[in-house]
Amino acid sequence: MKTMYENYEIWWVTGAQLLYGGDAVVAVDSHSKEMVDGLNNSGNLPIKVVYKGTANSSREVEDIMKAANNDSRCVGIITWMHTFSPAKMWIHGLKVLSKPLLHLHTQYNAEIPWDTMDMDFMNLNQSAHGDREFGHICARMRVRRKVVTGYWKDADTQKRIAVWQRVCAAWADSQDMLILRFGDQMNNVAVTDGDKVEAEVRMGYHVDYMPFSEVMPYFDAVKDEDVDALVAEYFRLYTHDEKLEDKSTVEYKKVWNSAKAELTLRAVLKAKGAKGFTTNFDDLGDADVENTGRGFDQIPGLASQRLMAEGYGFGAEGDWKSAALYRTLWVMGQGMPGGCSFLEDYTLNFDGKQSSILQAHMLEVCPLIAEEKPRLEVHFLGIGYRKSLTARLVFTSKPEKGVTATVVDMGNRFRLIVNDVECIKSKPLPKLPVASALWIPMPSFEVGATAWILAGGTHHSCFSYDITPEYWEDYAEIAGIEMVHIDKDTTIEGFKQTLRMGEVYYMLNKSLYL
């Protein structure tokens, strides 16, 4: 399966010096090439590692870092100190580096050759020495990086590198991410809003408002035959009542309208080069759309579901932060089987130890998380000023463990809130025909939900079966934002202390967020 990762590279730079002579540098180079080839052939890394040679001087380090900054294919740098590399020669290069950094603390050989080890071997194989020297200068310079410690041939070590690689790809993707907002925040909602300027400074993506008047030319340009073809595709892909195919019914017309909305949105997103979008009920075109046919007759829920599955970020009710975060989540999970979705805390189910939260939305839940083939249905939607029948995909999520996350604006910083959850089987909802998930937040409903609220978490979040907290930790490190994690070991007392320490940290270290 091809992914966008094929367009990216991770550069590998080995630290050395000329003190030990040319033969040592030749050996360092040979070992490094073997290690890079081994990683690429392991099958565990999603992005190709490209060996960029040894760095033996300050000028060489700086040149490599500048080249990495200017190469759009390079999404991150792996450094490893095979032998002792004096860290002062890394200062200028680290000062200019703008790409994510991973420091690999490993060694070419797995074990010490007890019977044959001599001083030449010691001088060459000094990762235990050189990596600490490099680690010191990174700490001294406050360089944000990931440190992976372990033997380079071990699968666990390779998989930790792979996590970081996926996050690097998502980070690179966000640096030219455009989110289009078809409407603003709704009903004075605070948690879905935030500082768009600081978001672009900190996380790279740009948010633009697009009035529906600018959408209408794309809507008018959609050809009926293309809509017909997409409707036929719906009927092939999803289970449905055969009566839905009756072109004389209003239900068929609603499916047709949903297909036209999807084609319109996709055309807009492609034309603008956008990677995500938001919608709301208040900006859908002509108010008399039932008679004029110019605009969306209801919120484009089916379109949003399908566009999310293609990788477009989505946030409901103008929630641009969730739209961007979902896109990042989708990029990190490229090629992984579990799936991801935008979700909303809908209602609570108090049931002792099985107390849980129903995750749904009016319509917009991504079919990537469906347990079975989604069902295409048309039902009345009585929310918003356009109350009418509308099409949607109906399903329940897979009962598995996953992780959900959200970003909130705390005024002086962004906070990434991550919660381990367990999706469980839900009972049928015959009167609520929407896509949904039912989960228990870790460590329990009471503690997990309380901690989320204490952290200022949104009612919207971005969920994945594949992406673990390690991915979000790497993302927060690269972005330079706060992350709090709610897991099986969380206690309210300890979590409150974590939040208090975060407040102190960012108040005392304002320069970290400037």
Side-chain angles (χ1 to χ4, degrees), residues 8 72 74-75 100 167-177 275:
Y8 294 142
S72 61
C74 175
V75 297
V167 177
C168 287
W171 180 253
D173 179 77
S174 70
Q175 300 313 294
D176 65 349
M177 185 193 301
K275 298 178 179 179

Side-chain angles (χ1 to χ4, degrees), residues 99-115:
K99 298 292 177 75
L101 174 67
L102 183 145
H103 178 194
L104 180 58
H105 182 38
T106 191
Q107 190 168 270
Y108 171 69
N109 57 296
E111 298 178 354
I112 294 174
W114 302 100
D115 296 332

Side-chain angles (χ1 to χ4, degrees), residues 200-359:
E200 187 164 357
V201 170
R202 183 58 50 183
M203 291 174 282
Y205 44 78
H206 180 76
V207 183
D208 269 346
Y209 171 68
M210 188 171 185
F212 210 88
S213 60
E214 293 185 24
V215 177
M216 287 310 302
Y218 297 91
F219 180 86
D220 293 336
V222 174
K223 297 178 180 178
D224 287 356
E225 53 265 35
D226 292 334
V227 181
D228 292 338
L230 184 55
V231 170
E233 181 179 323
Y234 291 168
F235 292 145
R236 286 195 304 271
L237 291 176
Y238 311 118
T239 59
H240 59 280
D241 191 321
E242 288 186 4
K243 294 180 181 179
L244 211 57
E245 298 186 38
D246 184 347
K247 295 183 179 181
S248 68
T249 64
V250 66
E251 287 79 9
Y252 177 87
K253 180 61 176 176
K254 292 298 181 178
V255 173
W256 197 92
N257 289 348
S258 294
K260 186 167 185 178
E262 178 182 334
L263 292 172
T264 300
L265 289 177
R266 185 179 288 105
V268 171
L269 294 167
K270 287 184 176 180
K272 298 295 184 180
K275 298 178 179 179
F277 65 102
T278 71
T279 60
N280 71 32
F281 292 107
D282 300 328
D283 203 347
L284 298 173
D286 195 325
D288 192 25
V289 66
E290 292 289 352
N291 293 317
T292 66
R294 301 198 74 246
F296 298 164
D297 60 356
Q298 185 49 279
I299 198 81
L302 177 58
S304 299
Q305 290 181 293
R306 285 173 46 83
L307 288 167
M308 269 193 282
E310 292 179 20
Y312 286 103
F314 172 78
E317 297 116 32
D319 186 356
W320 52 272
K321 296 195 302 300
S322 288
L325 196 67
Y326 176 80
R327 167 68 183 194
T328 292
L329 179 65
W330 182 86
V331 173
M332 288 194 294
Q334 282 278 280
M336 301 176 83
C340 54
S341 182
F342 164 87
L343 287 170
E344 175 176 279
D345 296 320
Y346 224 49
T347 192
L348 307 177
N349 185 53
F350 288 102
D351 185 24
K353 291 185 178 180
Q354 290 295 104
S355 292
S356 53
I357 309 171
L358 182 68
Q359 302 292 318

Side-chain angles (χ1 to χ4, degrees), residues 120-167:
D120 288 338
F121 181 93
M122 285 285 289
N123 287 339
L124 180 64
N125 296 276
Q126 293 194 51
S127 300
H129 184 180
D131 278 333
R132 280 157 177 76
E133 170 77 357
F134 182 75
H136 166 75
I137 204 64
C138 288
R140 169 71 185 269
M141 295 176 64
R142 277 65 172 177
V143 174
R144 296 195 298 270
R145 79 280 195 199
K146 180 171 187 171
V147 178
V148 172
T149 300
Y151 189 49
W152 61 277
K153 288 185 178 180
D154 289 348
D156 287 345
T157 300
Q158 294 168 357
K159 288 175 182 178
R160 291 200 65 203
I161 297 172
V163 168
W164 175 80
Q165 284 191 337
R166 288 178 173 274
V167 177

Side-chain angles (χ1 to χ4, degrees), residues 404-424:
T404 201
T406 190
V407 167
V408 294
D409 187 342
M410 298 301 294
N412 66 337
R413 67 194 185 279
F414 287 105
R415 171 181 287 165
L416 174 66
I417 306 169
V418 177
N419 192 185
D420 300 350
V421 301
E422 182 176 0
C423 290
I424 61 176

